[in-house]
Amino acid sequence: MTDLLHLYGTEEPPADPPVRRVGALSFEWTGTGLRHVRLGGTELIRSVAFLARDRDWGTLTPEPGGVEETWTEGVLCLTTVLVFRTGGASLTVALSVRASETGITLEATGNAAGAFETNRAGFTVLHPITGQAGAPVSVTHSDGSEQHSVFPDLIAPWQPFMDIAAITHHAGDMACTCRFAGDVFEMEDQRQWGDASFKTYNRPLARPWPYVIAAGEPLRQSVELSWRRAAPVPAPTEPALPSGPRFPDTALVVTSDEARRLAAGPDVLDAVAPQRLLCHLDATLGDVDGQCAAFATLQAAFPASTYDLELIGAFDGDPEAELAAHARAAANAGFSPASVMVCPSVDRQSTPPGSDWPDCPPLETIHAAARAAFDAPVMGGGMASLFTELNRKPPPSGMLDFVTHALCPIVHDADDVSVMETLEAVPHITRSARALIGEAEYRIGPCTIAMRQNPYGSRTIPNPGGSRVCMTDNDPRHRGAFGAAYALGLATALAPAGPSVWTPAAVFGPRGLFARDGTLLQVAEVIRALAACAGRPVTEAAIRDGRARMTLGDTVFEANLTPETKEGLPPFGWRSLF
């Protein structure tokens, strides 16, 4: 096995963007913009880039042109040409960057060939979240008025700031201003997707999408970054999470087809020994009787596990009648789940700002009917998709024994650095989720690198070449050392919140435990070690300088989240110590 295949599950090498320096200023040149803009070591901006998204919100990979680099009186100038293609049309963008120690200006001029359909095409600026949640920020609107506010503390479900002509935030002893031209910009709280950033983007989501950039239609935008010395702003103190957390039970997700396969050889579960199996039943696919029968067969073959039912309901009629029918199907099959989580099918898809909510009975009606129908000791709700959807449609207070949502780190970016950086956002998600669900039990998952279902489009993005692709259902890094390190890092980020269950993998398939030749993946070895620690007290859990460290009872787990050897651990290596 080659080093690349061992580390990443693919022979495709990772991106290695070169670092450019202008005096005390430094940034990485990604080919579409800048990342990690720092002044004297202080990160001012996480990223600024020109991006284009397709109708399913997939990020289009441009065909990059050569980069021309020149220096003029201490100013670094970078120019390149990007060609984005989708649906038989193309968008050619001339991108230029001028950087000095006092500021950076990015300009883009684009022309379409054919009718270029897109959900978004333009500059995106990512503001880092470290020390920013709850911190002061100033927004200048297009009419010249100024708004003095703070970044959201808990994650904002909708845009915290609209109509942004300029925005100023503080980083250390610097005040950093971003000025925008060429379109109307607004901000999203990207933490709810798992990103470690607040994102300023164009165009407003209230406008129709997808939209078409017609051939010959001008596209011209710019972003100007500047900074100045300012009095440091104290970072807000984050409230403590539940005291005395214990490490959660480990679950694996199975579909009915996978349950039938697993029932024929349930001993494969011994490879990880999870406490629970999350049985995914999608009533919109039909044959609920057959799906329940598959789970009943597995439960009979492997009775040692606890079985949880994740039920996706159609709810296109009377929810009482539908749920009663599903409960009868489970009872007739002999399937007896310990808990039942009910989620309307329409809620798997995102309802963005400005969109009409889909037809669906009230959640209060659905969950009351579910509790009346099922003879299960524990009833739950939430979202089978991401925290974003939970945050925008919170569960009914006081009706549920537990609330759950999934996690996925490749919604907006899929490079290695961005995926690991999503771990910074996990504590923000868990704290915000706790504020939503109150005293209810908190479960999280599935939480895998690859996306099992796309809430933002009609499909997950195909990945036949085994590349690093946003919103794909098959990410090769799950099969490498990277996937094992990410899983341990995720467990470390989740543990302080005290969830009762986490679901870090499936049993089979691209998010499963086994390689194509049947051997156990590296990520499965991590999951097995963590599953053995269910219920142990969490006395330490921290991620610092690319290293995760967690103490569960008398066992210490460490993971290197970087591609460089660090403190005795190889790239993306991990270990457990007693």
Side-chain angles (χ1 to χ4, degrees):
M1 179 182 291
T2 66
D3 287 344
L4 284 176
L5 203 60
H6 170 77
L7 291 176
Y8 304 107
T10 175
E11 295 286 6
E12 180 184 75
D16 187 18
V19 177
R20 299 292 198 273
R21 302 183 187 277
V22 185
L25 173 71
S26 67
F27 56 82
E28 297 165 12
W29 168 248
T30 65
T32 60
L34 319 177
R35 186 168 67 185
H36 298 143
V37 179
R38 296 184 172 96
L39 190 70
T42 299
E43 186 179 25
L44 303 178
I45 294 292
R46 178 58 53 93
S47 172
V48 52
F50 190 97
L51 303 175
R53 312 290 291 274
D54 67 16
R55 65 176 297 113
D56 291 314
W57 291 103
T59 301
L60 298 173
T61 301
E63 301 169 8
V67 180
E68 182 178 341
E69 178 176 336
T70 60
W71 287 85
T72 305
E73 298 181 350
V75 176
L76 170 63
C77 299
L78 302 171
T79 58
T80 190
V81 175
L82 310 172
V83 180
F84 301 90
R85 299 186 188 277
T86 183
S90 65
L91 177 68
T92 300
V93 177
L95 175 65
S96 67
V97 178
R98 298 191 305 277
S100 70
E101 282 194 278
T102 59
I104 303 173
T105 299
L106 298 94
E107 294 182 336
T109 303
N111 290 283
F116 186 84
E117 185 183 54
T118 181
N119 283 352
R120 178 177 299 154
F123 279 116
T124 294
V125 175
L126 305 184
H127 313 263
I129 61 174
T130 302
Q132 296 300 327
V137 62
S138 298
V139 176
T140 302
H141 300 293
S142 58
D143 63 2
S145 63
E146 291 192 5
Q147 176 185 2
H148 300 286
S149 185
V150 295
F151 283 110
D153 179 20
L154 297 177
I155 298 174
W158 312 108
Q159 302 97 316
F161 303 112
M162 312 280 279
D163 182 24
I164 302 172
I167 184 168
T168 300
H169 73 281
H170 295 262
D173 62 351
M174 304 299 297
C176 180
T177 298
C178 307
R179 298 186 183 280
F180 305 93
D183 207 330
V184 178
F185 287 75
E186 61 189 25
M187 178 180 285
E188 288 177 338
D189 191 338
Q190 279 215 137
R191 295 176 297 170
Q192 65 182 336
W193 287 276
D195 299 81
S197 59
F198 298 99
K199 179 173 72 176
T200 303
Y201 61 92
N202 73 294
R203 66 188 213 164
L205 285 174
R207 295 183 181 179
W209 50 266
Y211 63 98
V212 171
I213 301 175
E217 180 180 346
L219 187 156
R220 184 181 296 274
Q221 295 179 20
S222 66
V223 176
E224 181 182 344
L225 310 179
S226 61
W227 42 84
R228 57 179 174 81
R229 296 286 176 186
V233 175
T237 301
E238 295 185 359
L241 287 164
S243 60
R246 293 184 176 271
F247 195 73
D249 282 356
T250 295
L252 300 174
V253 63
V254 291
T255 65
S256 57
D257 287 343
E258 292 164 345
R260 295 184 186 96
R261 176 182 174 187
L262 186 56
D267 55 314
V268 303
L269 291 173
D270 295 337
V272 167
Q275 284 77 34
R276 315 177 81 99
L277 291 172
L278 179 62
C279 300
H280 175 76
L281 191 160
D282 187 348
T284 68
L285 299 178
D287 191 21
V288 172
D289 291 341
Q291 292 186 67
C292 288
F295 296 133
T297 301
L298 176 58
Q299 191 172 37
F302 193 75
S305 185
T306 298
Y307 287 76
D308 301 306
L309 175 61
E310 180 186 59
L311 172 59
I312 309 301
F315 299 124
D316 49 7
D318 178 9
E320 292 186 7
E322 177 179 343
L323 288 165
H326 298 337
R328 285 194 301 272
N332 292 340
F335 177 47
S336 181
S339 72
V340 177
M341 177 271 191
V342 177
C343 178
S345 179
V346 295
D347 285 347
R348 289 185 291 182
Q349 295 304 121
S350 178
T351 301
S355 302
D356 293 330
W357 287 91
D359 290 336
C360 182
L363 290 179
E364 290 83 357
T365 301
I366 289 172
H367 290 302
R371 191 174 288 275
F374 281 92
D375 183 24
V378 178
M379 298 297 297
M383 291 292 169
S385 49
L386 307 182
F387 175 76
T388 317
E389 287 63 58
L390 182 74
N391 203 24
R392 290 177 173 173
K393 191 175 182 180
S397 177
M399 293 191 67
L400 301 171
D401 300 314
F402 72 90
V403 176
T404 186
H405 64 83
L407 292 173
C408 176
I410 58 169
V411 174
H412 291 118
D413 291 298
D415 64 90
D416 298 341
V417 172
S418 295
V419 169
M420 287 300 184
E421 284 180 343
T422 64
L423 299 177
E424 297 176 27
V426 170
H428 296 255
I429 289 176
T430 57
R431 188 163 63 88
S432 297
R434 282 290 187 192
L436 282 177
I437 70 178
E439 297 301 317
E441 181 186 334
Y442 185 22
R443 301 184 182 183
I444 301 176
C447 38
T448 57
I449 297 176
M451 178 180 275
R452 69 165 173 170
Q453 175 259 331
N454 183 1
Y456 315 110
S458 60
R459 57 171 188 162
T460 53
I461 306 304
N463 188 17
S467 299
R468 295 160 173 83
V469 176
C470 289
M471 297 195 291
T472 182
D473 65 352
N474 187 353
D475 193 297
R477 289 167 295 189
H478 176 81
R479 299 185 285 275
F482 185 101
Y486 171 80
L488 187 46
L490 179 61
T492 304
L494 290 172
S500 58
V501 182
W502 79 311
T503 306
V507 179
F508 301 117
R511 297 173 298 286
L513 305 175
F514 303 97
R516 293 185 180 90
D517 63 2
T519 58
L520 202 64
L521 294 173
Q522 298 173 71
V523 67
E525 296 172 2
V526 169
I527 295 171
R528 176 175 57 194
L530 291 171
C533 295
R536 293 188 187 180
V538 180
T539 57
E540 177 189 21
I543 298 175
R544 298 187 184 92
D545 300 324
R547 178 173 170 267
R549 179 180 170 90
M550 176 171 57
T551 301
L552 306 177
D554 59 359
T555 304
V556 178
F557 290 89
E558 295 177 330
N560 179 3
L561 309 180
T562 76
E564 308 294 333
T565 299
K566 184 180 285 287
E567 299 182 25
L569 283 171
F572 304 117
W574 71 281
R575 63 191 170 204
S576 59
L577 309 169
F578 296 93

